[in-house]
Amino acid sequence: MLPNDPRLKGFGDRATLAEVQGWIDSACAALPVVEMAADAAAGLVLAADMTAPADLPPVAASALDGLALRAEETYGASSYNPLMIQLVGRGGQLLPGTAMQVPLGAPLPEGADAVLGYEAAEIAGGMVEVMAHAAPGQGIVRPGQDAAAGQVLLPACRRLRGEDCALALTARLGTLPVHPGPRVLLLSAGRFAGADLLPVVLGPIIRRDGGRVVGQGAARGDREALARLLLKADADLIVIAGASGLDADDRAALVLAQVGELTCHGLALRPGDTGGFGRVADTPVLLLPGSPGALRLSWEMTGARAVRRLAGLPPGPALPTKVLPLAHKVVSEVGWDEILPARINHEGMLALTAREVVGSGAVARADGFILVPADGEGYAEGTPTAIHLFDT
Amino acid sequence: MLPNDPRLKGFGDRATLAEVQGWIDSACAALPVVEMAADAAAGLVLAADMTAPADLPPVAASALDGLALRAEETYGASSYNPLMIQLVGRGGQLLPGTAMQVPLGAPLPEGADAVLGYEAAEIAGGMVEVMAHAAPGQGIVRPGQDAAAGQVLLPACRRLRGEDCALALTARLGTLPVHPGPRVLLLSAGRFAGADLLPVVLGPIIRRDGGRVVGQGAARGDREALARLLLKADADLIVIAGASGLDADDRAALVLAQVGELTCHGLALRPGDTGGFGRVADTPVLLLPGSPGALRLSWEMTGARAVRRLAGLPPGPALPTKVLPLAHKVVSEVGWDEILPARINHEGMLALTAREVVGSGAVARADGFILVPADGEGYAEGTPTAIHLFDT
């Protein structure tokens, strides 16, 4: 038994959202740095500045498909006064009086100091008719022009984009120091058809925040099954959805306290008031609602924060926001953090899609959510309010 | 040979970006609708309104973990005047004078018209001491409260979120009519180490827009190899990166014209001016730059549009924008659409990271890009300008 089993009685003290976020922050630090192949690192967080080991490009290169030549040999050339220069095969040094075809990005042949576009030349019979003059340096990318040796190409803490990984490979950095993506285990403990729904609801948001679902399981009210799933877990974060409420059959908190540690149970957060936090061995464990709508909303303030911190990202909330006036008054109980699903109505104002999240309909109809912090009583109609916009 | 082979000569007429986008639009319609398992449909576009086949919830259900009872039997109850009601086992009808434990979401037992939270009761010796009165309907979710039978739960053209798929499953809709995600084949035809870089650069953006990379290949200047890769392609969109320029070795356009159709080659677009468009059998083919930075930028206006249209999404650009003043003058040639990498400087103004995109460094240093349309000469310092912000 738990010393203060709240079942059939109600929660006594509830932890505040700020307290839970504090526990999440202390339990979830960025995962230890690994060296990851650059082409597999997109989406992960860089753990150290990435500096250019050499100039990019390393030598002068052509900035276009054209003719490498000596600029001084084109002085005075125009379409009225074409100058003839001998076209030579590719490779080797460029001798005086000759021009050589070079493709964009190729090293400039020694002796050349400009690249002229084909629009300004005509090629016939092994000769180039040059019809414009070239300035020295024209059509050339200088060594280090894209990046100089030693320059910080990407700062530490950057979430790597695909083009960042391409830049690393171009700079011949085969591996990068990154925080690996947190592995999340999703366990369904309740009555809801949650075992199937959990990865559907949470998978996209976990990926959004740099993590990945590494497993799922369903205990369906069976204590022993849940205990076994927890004890054999190999993950960076464990989520137990459902069975954390006040019903006699709700045993998630009990099992967590038995096989690990239950730090708190019962939050001053809606939805998610039956949530909790603890750990099994060193792995943080979140208790969350089993109902998909409540799960989706409370995840943003709890699970998403855990995933983002493990991934090395700022804690969030991660979604883009827009500030719009409220279409109606929003009342909220002091002492409770509330996450309310809202949509942007046809007048560009924010309207709640439901006061109580009873299913996922209200969340599906929402464009995002607004937050009413614990110290607020709500907002008057017309109050400019931030909506956090769903994007996944 | 091509009738108007531009190699070693230069492009004559260049297609405008508007023309290319017109060809993309006519060649890329939303892929034919398929019925997809709801739990695999997240990220895809719904092809028809999704309506609720029945009320959600179908019958009255409990809104909390608590005690189902008859509201009238609690009138007058308070902590000073507790009323005793008999606690009965779960299941069956609720007889007068009794209360039954019900978990959140469970159907309300017949006879009950309220659910009282455990905080307002004390359970001992098979009896419930009720310490607050309940109003009829309190603690109950009405049938259809989350969604009514026949109600449109999600509109056609909606890009499905995880919670949408959960809602479908809750509503017992096992499959959903969706446009499948376009399958993109990435072929590298040029000198750049593009075969490896292509999926690194484009994979995340293709996924962002609802598509997926189904294959990659490298022809490295070999005409026959490129022709074979094109002819055996099984994809909804083919991308050929590199080898579309003016160098004698650039044979991508030539090969495309031989095995399929080359609609245009040479665009009034920077970067991406050697790009083109065509098809092999019924599959649209895009010619794009091989250099990662130029590829990343020109993709947003060409490839991303093709993927989004095939996926059933609006054509884009897909990225969030922010309007900020320019830190310096931006000059642009009339007649050319330009995509310029830019960052937000420490004064909150937009600064270009490079005038010419010579590698991926300038793109990696950028927070996004600004567009200068073909009919503009650029912008004066301080002009409020939209930056399209990279997010992947």
Side-chain angles (χ1 to χ4, degrees):
Chain A
M1 282 298 293
L2 285 173
N4 295 305
D5 190 343
R7 292 179 301 155
L8 307 186
K9 287 192 296 206
F11 293 104
D13 275 354
R14 289 176 181 272
T16 64
L17 177 60
E19 286 170 329
V20 176
Q21 292 185 333
W23 288 316
I24 288 172
D25 290 357
S26 62
C28 302
L31 293 173
V33 178
V34 297
E35 282 289 324
M36 178 84 75
D39 61 1
L44 300 178
V45 174
L46 192 62
D49 286 351
M50 178 177 118
T51 53
D55 280 347
L56 282 179
V59 296
S62 177
L64 69 165
D65 296 327
L67 296 157
L69 38 69
R70 290 163 196 265
E72 61 177 19
E73 296 180 359
T74 68
Y75 290 164
S78 74
S79 51
Y80 300 104
N81 180 35
L83 297 182
M84 303 298 281
I85 297 181
Q86 193 193 343
L87 184 64
V88 296
R90 295 183 201 256
Q93 201 182 344
L94 187 84
L95 296 174
T98 67
M100 193 185 289
Q101 294 174 25
V102 284
L104 183 155
L108 198 70
E110 196 186 329
D113 64 356
V115 177
L116 194 69
Y118 290 114
E119 287 85 350
E122 211 144 283
I123 297 175
M127 296 299 286
V128 179
E129 217 174 352
V130 175
M131 291 179 293
H133 71 260
Q138 175 180 326
I140 290 175
V141 183
R142 300 183 310 279
Q145 182 174 330
D146 195 28
Q151 182 180 337
V152 173
L153 296 172
L154 300 169
C157 300
R158 158 105 157 191
R159 187 168 190 184
L160 293 166
R161 305 175 194 147
E163 56 267 32
D164 296 342
C165 299
L167 176 61
L169 292 170
T170 305
R172 297 182 186 281
L173 296 164
T175 65
L176 294 173
V178 296
H179 300 289
R183 301 162 302 145
V184 184
L185 175 65
L186 301 177
L187 301 179
S188 160
R191 290 171 310 285
F192 287 93
D196 306 329
L197 290 181
L198 276 182
V200 174
V201 176
L202 296 183
I205 339 175
I206 289 172
R207 282 192 293 278
R208 173 197 79 190
D209 290 329
R212 63 201 160 93
V213 176
V214 288
Q216 59 185 99
R220 298 200 179 282
D222 177 344
R223 287 171 67 148
E224 298 304 318
L226 182 58
R228 278 195 304 275
L229 287 167
L230 285 174
L231 287 169
K232 75 170 189 189
D234 181 20
D236 302 308
L237 176 67
I238 301 171
V239 173
I240 306 177
S244 64
L246 299 176
D247 193 72
D249 284 346
D250 286 337
R251 302 191 177 103
L254 194 68
V255 172
L256 177 55
Q258 283 170 339
V259 305
E261 181 192 311
L262 181 68
T263 310
C264 74
H265 185 204
L267 312 182
L269 173 69
R270 285 196 192 101
D273 71 297
T274 63
F277 182 77
R279 53 174 75 218
V280 171
D282 283 336
T283 308
V285 180
L286 280 167
L287 301 179
L288 289 168
S291 145
L295 176 64
R296 175 68 180 85
L297 291 178
S298 60
W299 178 266
E300 288 290 348
M301 305 308 289
T302 55
R305 187 180 186 98
V307 172
R308 292 178 64 85
R309 285 197 46 98
L310 290 164
L313 290 169
L319 295 171
T321 59
K322 201 179 255 189
V323 175
L324 294 170
L326 282 175
H328 52 69
K329 186 168 76 169
V330 171
V331 179
S332 173
E333 188 178 342
V334 173
W336 287 74
D337 282 274
E338 294 213 62
I339 312 166
L340 298 168
R343 65 189 176 82
I344 302 172
N345 71 13
H346 58 280
E347 290 169 308
M349 301 179 87
L350 299 181
L352 301 191
T353 59
R355 194 62 188 75
E356 301 283 337
V357 178
V358 296
S360 43
V363 176
R365 281 192 297 275
D367 296 313
F369 57 87
I370 66 170
L371 298 173
V372 186
D375 59 3
E377 293 183 300
Y379 305 113
E381 181 184 329
T383 307
T385 305
I387 180 170
H388 298 257
L389 292 161
F390 293 138
D391 58 353
T392 48
Chain B
M1 280 299 291
L2 286 172
N4 294 304
D5 190 344
R7 292 178 301 154
L8 307 186
K9 289 192 295 209
F11 293 104
D13 275 354
R14 288 176 182 272
T16 64
L17 177 60
E19 286 170 328
V20 176
Q21 292 185 333
W23 287 317
I24 289 173
D25 289 357
S26 62
C28 301
L31 293 173
V33 178
V34 296
E35 282 289 325
M36 178 84 75
D39 61 2
L44 301 176
V45 174
L46 191 63
D49 286 351
M50 177 177 118
T51 53
D55 280 348
L56 282 180
V59 296
S62 178
L64 69 164
D65 296 328
L67 295 157
L69 36 72
R70 290 163 197 262
E72 61 176 18
E73 296 180 357
T74 69
Y75 292 165
S78 73
S79 50
Y80 299 105
N81 180 36
L83 297 182
M84 302 299 281
I85 297 181
Q86 194 194 343
L87 182 66
V88 296
R90 296 183 201 255
Q93 201 183 340
L94 189 83
L95 297 175
T98 67
M100 193 185 288
Q101 293 174 25
V102 284
L104 185 155
L108 198 69
E110 197 186 326
D113 63 356
V115 177
L116 194 70
Y118 290 113
E119 287 86 350
E122 210 144 285
I123 296 173
M127 296 299 286
V128 180
E129 218 174 351
V130 175
M131 291 179 292
H133 70 261
Q138 176 180 327
I140 290 176
V141 183
R142 299 182 311 278
Q145 183 175 329
D146 196 29
Q151 182 181 335
V152 174
L153 296 173
L154 301 169
C157 300
R158 156 104 157 195
R159 185 165 192 189
L160 293 166
R161 306 176 194 146
E163 55 267 32
D164 297 341
C165 300
L167 176 61
L169 292 170
T170 304
R172 299 182 182 280
L173 295 164
T175 65
L176 294 173
V178 295
H179 301 289
R183 302 161 302 144
V184 184
L185 175 65
L186 301 177
L187 300 179
S188 162
R191 288 172 311 286
F192 287 92
D196 306 328
L197 289 181
L198 275 182
V200 174
V201 176
L202 296 183
I205 340 177
I206 289 172
R207 281 192 294 277
R208 174 197 77 189
D209 290 329
R212 63 201 161 93
V213 176
V214 288
Q216 59 186 101
R220 297 199 180 282
D222 177 344
R223 285 171 69 146
E224 299 304 319
L226 182 58
R228 276 195 304 275
L229 287 167
L230 285 174
L231 287 170
K232 76 170 189 188
D234 180 19
D236 302 308
L237 177 67
I238 301 171
V239 172
I240 307 178
S244 64
L246 299 176
D247 194 72
D249 285 346
D250 286 337
R251 302 191 178 103
L254 193 67
V255 173
L256 177 56
Q258 284 170 338
V259 305
E261 180 192 311
L262 181 68
T263 310
C264 75
H265 185 203
L267 311 182
L269 174 69
R270 285 196 192 100
D273 71 297
T274 63
F277 182 77
R279 52 174 75 218
V280 172
D282 283 334
T283 307
V285 180
L286 281 167
L287 301 179
L288 289 169
S291 145
L295 176 64
R296 175 68 180 84
L297 290 179
S298 60
W299 179 265
E300 288 290 349
M301 306 309 289
T302 55
R305 187 180 186 97
V307 173
R308 292 178 64 84
R309 284 197 47 96
L310 290 164
L313 290 170
L319 295 171
T321 58
K322 202 178 254 188
V323 176
L324 293 170
L326 283 174
H328 52 70
K329 185 168 78 168
V330 171
V331 180
S332 173
E333 189 177 341
V334 172
W336 287 74
D337 282 275
E338 294 212 62
I339 312 165
L340 299 168
R343 65 188 175 83
I344 302 172
N345 71 13
H346 57 282
E347 289 169 309
M349 301 178 87
L350 299 182
L352 301 191
T353 58
R355 194 62 188 78
E356 301 283 338
V357 177
V358 296
S360 42
V363 177
R365 281 191 295 276
D367 296 312
F369 58 86
I370 67 172
L371 298 173
V372 186
D375 59 4
E377 292 184 301
Y379 305 112
E381 181 185 330
T383 306
T385 304
I387 180 170
H388 298 257
L389 292 161
F390 294 138
D391 58 353
T392 49

